[in-house]
Amino acid sequence: MINRKKWAVLFLLPGILLFAFVFLGSLVVLFTTSFTDWAIGRKITFVGLKNYIDLFTGDKTFIESVKNTAIWIGLQSTFHVFTGTVVALILAKNKWYSSPVRAIFFIPNVISSAALGMLFLCIMNPQYGLVNTLVTKISGNTFSQNWFMDPKTAFLSVTMTWLPYAGLVTILVMAEMSSISEDIYEAAKIDGASLFQTDIYVVLPLMKNIIGTSVVLAATSMLQKLDIIMMTTQGGPGSKTMNMPMYIYKTVFTNNNYGLANAQGVLLIILGVLALRIIRGLFKMDKKED
Amino acid sequence: MKILGKTATALLLIFIVLISTVPFLWVLLSSFKTNSEILSGVLGFPGGIHFINYVTAFKLAPLVTFYKNSIFIAVFGTILNLAVCSMAAYVAVRVDFKLKSLVTLMFSMGLIIPGAALIQPLYTTLNLTHLYNTRLGLILVYTALGMPTTFYVMVSYIKTLSYSLEEAAYIDGAGFVRTFMQIVMPLTRPALATAGVIQFLLCWNEFQLALTLTGATEKRTLPIALYYFKSAFASDYGAMFAATVVVVVPSIVIFILLQKQVISGLAAGSVKG
């Protein structure tokens, strides 16, 4: 038995070490240095809440990055999840096109976001891009909208690179729907419910948990969106499309201000936990044990 | 009313199919065009199939090196992740110990911490341990990033296995390790496949940490190649299209071949969120 315990510990050890190396160590560095003045070529000095105060009182770009991140979380939690759910309800009717459409819809989610950013950069290019070429063909006038660089369209253009691509939500909701028993559909049919009514009053309430999960995933993915922004606008023009990850990246690698970047990192984690709390509350998702 | 509903449904489906395929197909098509064909904004098919863009892309950028790095990192990042997580999951299911809930919490921590927050700390850690700008550094980080999903998939699968086989092995005198290796591992093959595909895609596609934790061209992975050669290709659109195709195609092929595993892996892994 002692042998068994010893092996159990050894089996857990690699995972624990990796956790400590990647997450725990980083979190300690993140929190402690967020209270310091730390930049390349300078000594680390404790400055208390100065970084946080600076961010909220004097840093317009930071405020804008928080605002944009929050707007994107809001949009992604609603429109994105709604789109994915509607498509799932349609495809769940098991038509001949259901599984190919589900697969096709997921392709933009399965390729690297950097590549997706590149695809959009190409199709929205002002000179040769597909979008402008089409508009020119249809309208007959030369159309040269610079989608990603024009302050009027930049935010919308970036949003469109992720908002409609809800293939993951569709897959998740469909997987959950497949566990609904046939009897429930039968019963609804006998009660005279139409397919649409069945979806709204019977299926959707049963999907509450997976929709909640999808909202969580959609919201938290917006705390990670560095790749597409990096490929397309880098936060510009001005800071129209600046989000928190992009500003952290800039603070670390352009301004070399580590203390300030880590204060932003702490705030990013707090925003994530906050979003998670709110969503769990809204969906009354109880902590399931497993 | 019914016709209206059907039309709306059809339009929505056509719309999502178009937005999911057209960007990629257009780039694929354009990758076979000459630069002048691209710039003249001709829609339709290219005047002939030109592989020259692919040749240029491979000449301009060390795509072969990037490919090798991506494959190396994704393969070892997946193997290590599966090994670490299945061992831990086995213990979490079959052995009773005091700090079990703490260990479980640890393995799922990654879900609530956005990688972007850890950019600078990880950069510091890897520099201190001389793992900055190494493939090993990225492999370790990706192994940890994928722990929540793999751990969860493995735990839920091992729970469904009956204990009688393991019990028989113990009675026959097999030890803990041997039982795990010879009885449990073979049985968990479907779960390993599911979690493995998801982990492989994570390693293959990851961008923000690959960008910040490597510095030299010879250590970079494919997604970063696109970022760096966005400017190098600035005047050679055809080559840029070709490079994009070269990066995107493996993910799509893996997904199409292993659709079942991807879908069940996502469904299982998301529940934890």
Side-chain angles (χ1 to χ4, degrees):
Chain A
M1 261 346 244
I2 286 171
N3 210 13
R4 190 175 161 85
K5 282 262 140 92
K6 192 185 82 189
W7 280 117
V9 172
L10 282 178
F11 267 42
L12 287 174
L13 207 58
I16 294 175
L17 289 177
L18 266 172
F19 170 81
F21 179 69
V22 174
F23 291 114
L24 196 61
S26 300
L27 286 176
V28 172
V29 173
L30 187 77
F31 278 95
T32 49
T33 60
S34 74
F35 301 106
T36 62
D37 178 38
W38 180 23
I40 273 192
R42 259 190 278 164
K43 261 209 192 134
I44 306 185
T45 46
F46 181 78
V47 291
L49 290 171
K50 186 174 179 298
N51 288 328
Y52 293 93
I53 294 168
D54 284 353
L55 284 173
F56 281 110
T57 55
D59 197 332
K60 279 200 189 115
T61 316
F62 173 73
I63 301 291
E64 186 132 14
S65 78
V66 176
K67 202 186 80 194
N68 288 337
T69 308
I71 295 175
W72 277 323
I73 290 177
L75 286 174
Q76 201 75 353
S77 314
T78 50
F79 283 108
H80 178 84
V81 175
F82 177 78
T83 311
T85 311
V86 170
V87 174
L89 288 172
I90 296 171
L91 295 183
K93 306 284 177 291
N94 274 324
K95 295 277 171 46
W96 58 268
Y97 51 74
S98 288
S99 76
V101 170
R102 179 179 65 170
I104 289 170
F105 194 28
F106 189 62
I107 285 178
N109 289 167
V110 89
I111 63 174
S112 156
S113 290
L116 191 67
M118 193 65 151
L119 289 180
F120 268 88
L121 209 56
C122 295
I123 65 166
M124 287 164 125
N125 183 291
Q127 277 177 289
Y128 59 80
L130 174 66
V131 177
N132 284 354
T133 314
L134 276 179
V135 177
T136 304
K137 280 265 146 76
I138 293 165
S139 68
N141 302 318
T142 312
F143 187 77
S144 54
Q145 177 65 37
N146 195 339
W147 296 96
F148 284 115
M149 288 304 138
D150 184 333
K152 284 196 211 82
T153 54
F155 190 85
L156 182 74
S157 305
V158 171
T159 309
M160 289 314 283
T161 64
W162 56 62
L163 197 62
Y165 294 115
L168 178 61
V169 179
T170 299
I171 282 185
L172 295 179
V173 175
M174 282 179 79
E176 185 91 343
M177 284 174 80
S178 64
S179 66
I180 299 179
S181 130
E182 277 299 313
D183 301 350
I184 293 177
Y185 288 109
E186 277 300 311
K189 206 173 169 188
I190 291 166
D191 288 345
S194 70
L195 281 177
F196 182 70
Q197 284 169 327
T198 314
D199 278 347
I200 300 289
Y201 297 109
V202 181
V203 180
L204 274 183
L206 289 171
M207 294 297 110
K208 199 189 80 187
N209 272 331
I210 195 68
I211 292 176
T213 303
S214 303
V215 173
V216 169
L217 291 175
T220 48
S221 75
M222 287 297 110
L223 307 171
Q224 306 264 26
K225 279 290 168 215
L226 179 64
D227 32 33
I228 287 189
I229 304 249
M230 202 71 186
M231 292 298 289
T232 53
T233 61
Q234 310 210 339
S239 47
K240 274 271 183 303
T241 60
M242 185 65 77
N243 69 352
M244 291 175 77
M246 186 68 221
Y247 196 49
I248 291 177
Y249 179 86
K250 279 207 167 149
T251 313
V252 177
F253 292 100
T254 313
N255 308 333
N256 295 317
N257 193 336
Y258 297 163
L260 196 67
N262 287 346
Q264 292 175 40
V266 170
L267 293 169
L268 182 65
I269 293 178
I270 293 175
L271 182 68
V273 173
L274 217 63
L276 203 67
R277 273 284 143 87
I278 295 173
I279 295 163
R280 278 183 175 277
L282 285 176
F283 282 86
K284 298 190 179 62
M285 289 161 84
D286 328 298
K287 282 205 170 148
K288 271 183 293 173
E289 43 235 88
D290 42 308
Chain B
M1 190 57 202
K2 208 158 185 194
I3 294 172
L4 208 67
K6 275 206 166 152
T7 322
T9 310
L11 283 177
L12 176 67
L13 292 184
I14 291 170
F15 176 72
I16 64 156
V17 168
L18 285 181
I19 59 164
S20 305
T21 51
V22 168
F24 176 68
L25 290 179
W26 183 75
V27 168
L28 182 68
L29 202 66
S30 306
S31 72
F32 295 114
K33 291 180 180 175
T34 60
N35 270 327
S36 57
E37 279 176 319
I38 292 166
L39 279 175
S40 64
V42 188
L43 285 173
F45 286 89
I49 293 188
H50 304 281
F51 284 99
I52 182 72
N53 291 326
Y54 287 85
V55 178
T56 323
F58 275 87
K59 251 190 223 151
L60 271 180
L63 281 174
V64 178
T65 314
F66 293 132
Y67 244 98
K68 276 191 201 148
N69 288 339
S70 271
I71 292 173
F72 186 85
I73 289 170
V75 166
F76 286 98
T78 305
I79 293 175
L80 191 63
N81 170 274
L82 291 179
V84 168
C85 293
S86 51
M87 277 162 37
Y90 180 62
V91 173
V93 177
R94 293 292 195 232
V95 184
D96 279 315
F97 55 98
K98 267 179 244 155
L99 300 170
K100 201 180 217 173
S101 53
L102 183 71
V103 171
T104 313
L105 179 74
M106 245 172 52
F107 274 90
S108 34
M109 263 296 251
L111 285 177
I112 56 160
I113 304 172
L118 303 183
I119 286 179
Q120 196 282 329
L122 278 176
Y123 176 73
T124 308
T125 320
L126 291 202
N127 259 322
L128 283 175
T129 47
H130 300 288
L131 288 169
Y132 173 74
N133 198 28
T134 60
R135 281 177 285 241
L136 180 62
L138 275 187
I139 290 172
L140 292 176
V141 170
Y142 290 166
T143 303
L145 277 192
M147 281 192 327
T149 305
T150 310
F151 181 72
Y152 186 72
V153 169
M154 294 313 293
V155 164
S156 11
Y157 196 81
I158 295 174
K159 268 186 186 162
T160 67
L161 299 177
S162 132
Y163 188 61
S164 53
L165 267 175
E166 289 158 60
E167 207 174 14
Y170 285 127
I171 289 169
D172 287 346
F176 189 78
V177 181
R178 187 144 172 234
T179 310
F180 173 72
M181 293 300 288
Q182 293 190 343
I183 309 289
V184 180
M185 284 310 265
L187 288 175
T188 57
R189 223 178 285 157
L192 287 173
T194 300
V197 176
I198 304 290
Q199 173 68 13
F200 188 91
L201 287 172
L202 180 151
C203 299
W204 189 268
N205 291 337
E206 206 282 336
F207 179 83
Q208 59 187 8
L209 296 172
L211 176 69
T212 47
L213 302 180
T214 58
T217 312
E218 56 273 18
K219 296 294 190 292
R220 290 195 183 282
T221 56
L222 280 171
I224 311 303
L226 282 183
Y227 175 67
Y228 271 86
F229 291 90
K230 197 176 77 170
S231 44
F233 285 145
S235 56
D236 199 333
Y237 306 116
M240 187 164 87
F241 290 139
T244 311
V245 171
V246 165
V247 175
V248 169
V249 161
S251 309
I252 297 183
V253 170
I254 291 174
F255 170 60
I256 290 170
L257 291 179
L258 300 169
Q259 225 190 102
K260 226 180 86 191
Q261 277 80 6
V262 176
I263 290 173
S264 62
L266 291 169
S270 72
V271 183
K272 210 48 205 175

